[in-house]
Amino acid sequence: MPRAVEIWPFRPTVRYTRQLAEALRAETVGGVVMLLATVAALVWANVSADSYEALRTVRFGPGSLHLDLELYRWVQNGLLTVFFFVAGIEVKEEFVHGELSNLRKAALPILAAIAGMIVPALIYLAVSAGAPGASRGWAIPMATDIAFALAVLAVTASAMPAALRAFLLTSAVVDDLGAITVIAVFFTRHLNLLALLAGVALIVLYGVLQARRVRGLWIYLPLALLSWYSIEISGVHATVAGVALGLMTRVHSGPGEESSPAERADHYIRPFSAGFAVPVFAFMSAGVVFSAESLGTMVTDRVVLGVIAGLIVGKFLGVFGGAWLAVRLGLAKLSEELHWRDMAAVSILAGIGFTVSLLIGNLAYGDDPGRANAVTTGVLAASLTASVLAALLLRVRVRNHLNAQDDV
């Protein structure tokens, strides 16, 4: 057995520490706003389902450009692209300045995140085996909603070591990258190759201009919109354009620049993403009608049970097992500030799927409203359960940490 070396957490730069703190604050606020939007959607849908559905399905946009879309599609394919643009910037920052800049240092969150995607999918497939259309939803329990997860962590366990929050944020970045890859590869129904090539060319041009330090919003905004439009009509999900543009955004400051384009974009766009784009998506996606029939479907439909088991059981086993494997193989050593019980709590917290799980659920079962609503109910139930379980365990761990500090 190779000797374990301490590679997590490592000492972050001042720049990365500042960015981490800003991200935690913004996502925490966003999580609260998203929760309020979810509650509002559930209340409206159960008070007046017809008016809620009428709002979701109102159509507008230029038909000649193939953009005569329903409102929920504008939100899903348009507003959510902003969220994935911010996610792309986060991934780029992590690879250049953060934990992912050194693969050995990143072993713990990377292995935890990868296992946290594979194991839930396998558990989903095992539980849902034989159910009609089950294979379409295997990716639903793979994702972690970082906004909700960080909100729960901040509210219940602000006194926990920063290493735990950093682990959650970093593993979620890898999780986001995996989710957008799955969406791009497995949820492309048809492909307009010419439009796709045009979108790729525009995104590459955006990257070239960034590398050459060309400045000017008047250049990049039209490029971003044209890139989004090309990917949207190509058949590939439009959110892929968001994460690609985020990855192409420069993260190094140039001569005469106080901050990099990525920092400036994150500073201005993240509040819009966390405070408006994602909550509006939650509002448009979470409005399921609760009835005896729908609740009965939730406990009898093996697809829904697979989603719930994948998020609650699979995420815990995957994230915790991946972290344990990284340490067991000598790739990482758990910080002296942390205990495996801390990792268990944050692994349960990873079972909060929500945003990306709802998106994948809509993509998988959008043509089957009954199944889509049941899956949405399952995602909400699993996310709520994971939140409560993690909050209870985190409160216990906070008391233990505080008692240990008092003893010292």
Side-chain angles (χ1 to χ4, degrees):
M1 180 68 63
R3 187 176 72 85
V5 293
E6 183 167 355
I7 59 178
W8 176 272
F10 73 107
R11 184 180 298 278
T13 63
V14 173
R15 169 197 176 101
Y16 181 71
T17 300
R18 185 178 68 252
Q19 291 173 342
L20 174 61
E22 290 175 354
L24 289 171
R25 284 195 294 270
E27 295 290 6
T28 300
V29 173
V32 174
V33 177
M34 195 194 319
L35 178 60
L36 295 175
T38 302
V39 172
L42 290 171
V43 171
W44 188 344
N46 283 275
V47 170
S48 178
D50 290 341
S51 63
Y52 175 78
E53 190 61 22
L55 175 66
R56 290 182 75 249
T57 56
V58 62
R59 300 182 70 95
F60 61 94
S64 60
L65 297 178
H66 306 287
L67 290 178
D68 181 20
L69 306 176
E70 294 173 319
L71 179 58
Y72 82 91
R73 285 281 306 280
W74 275 110
V75 173
Q76 178 180 286
N77 294 15
L79 279 183
L80 212 57
T81 302
V82 178
F83 165 77
F84 279 104
F85 175 73
V86 175
I89 290 177
E90 287 179 342
V91 172
K92 183 74 170 286
E93 287 281 5
E94 288 285 345
F95 274 111
V96 176
H97 300 297
E99 278 79 353
L100 301 181
S101 60
N102 184 310
L103 287 179
R104 294 196 66 201
K105 293 176 180 178
L108 194 64
I110 285 179
L111 288 178
I114 292 174
M117 290 184 283
I118 294 174
V119 176
L122 293 177
I123 288 182
Y124 166 86
L125 290 172
V127 173
S128 65
S135 61
R136 294 158 59 185
W138 63 272
I140 296 172
M142 291 177 59
T144 294
D145 190 294
I146 189 59
F148 265 157
L150 286 175
V152 173
L153 189 64
V155 170
T156 63
S158 59
M160 291 294 285
L164 193 66
R165 296 192 294 273
F167 170 83
L168 177 61
L169 181 61
T170 306
S171 60
V173 165
V174 179
D175 191 287
D176 283 343
L177 189 58
I180 199 65
T181 302
V182 167
I183 291 171
V185 174
F186 295 99
F187 291 97
T188 299
R189 306 290 189 204
H190 63 275
L191 187 63
N192 182 330
L193 185 58
L194 185 61
L196 178 61
L197 291 176
V200 171
L202 290 166
I203 292 169
V204 170
L205 176 59
Y206 175 98
V208 170
L209 294 176
Q210 282 284 299
R212 292 181 175 274
R213 305 186 189 281
V214 176
R215 303 183 187 182
L217 182 63
W218 63 273
I219 298 177
Y220 292 112
L221 185 57
L223 271 179
L225 291 174
L226 287 173
S227 300
W228 173 86
Y229 173 70
S230 298
I231 299 298
E232 164 69 15
I233 65 173
S234 75
V236 177
H237 201 269
T239 52
V240 174
V243 77
L245 290 168
L247 289 170
M248 288 291 183
T249 303
R250 180 163 51 89
V251 296
H252 291 293
S253 301
E257 291 181 324
E258 295 184 1
S259 58
S260 69
E263 287 178 303
R264 294 194 296 273
D266 185 271
H267 178 75
Y268 289 109
I269 297 175
R270 182 183 293 273
F272 176 80
S273 171
F276 181 76
V278 176
V280 170
F281 170 76
F283 179 80
M284 287 291 164
S285 303
V288 294
V289 177
F290 292 126
S291 64
E293 182 181 354
S294 65
L295 294 176
T297 300
M298 189 177 71
V299 297
T300 57
D301 189 331
R302 290 203 302 278
V303 169
V304 181
L305 292 175
V307 169
I308 295 173
L311 284 171
I312 297 175
V313 179
K315 271 293 185 180
F316 168 74
L317 293 178
V319 174
F320 186 83
W324 179 86
L325 184 64
V327 174
R328 186 69 174 173
L329 294 178
L331 300 174
K333 180 179 178 181
L334 197 65
S335 169
E336 294 180 356
E337 298 178 320
L338 299 178
H339 190 279
W340 281 112
R341 293 190 187 93
D342 303 326
M343 297 299 293
V346 83
S347 298
I348 295 174
L349 197 59
I352 303 176
F354 208 78
T355 304
V356 183
S357 291
L358 291 178
L359 173 60
I360 295 176
N362 287 334
L363 294 175
Y365 298 111
D367 57 352
D368 183 351
R371 173 61 63 75
N373 286 337
V375 166
T376 298
T377 305
V379 171
L380 295 177
S383 298
L384 176 61
T385 302
S387 300
V388 173
L389 291 176
L392 292 174
L393 187 52
L394 284 167
R395 291 306 302 167
V396 172
R397 295 306 303 156
V398 167
R399 286 198 296 270
N400 291 342
H401 275 280
L402 293 177
N403 290 337
Q405 293 175 0
D406 291 340
D407 292 339
V408 173

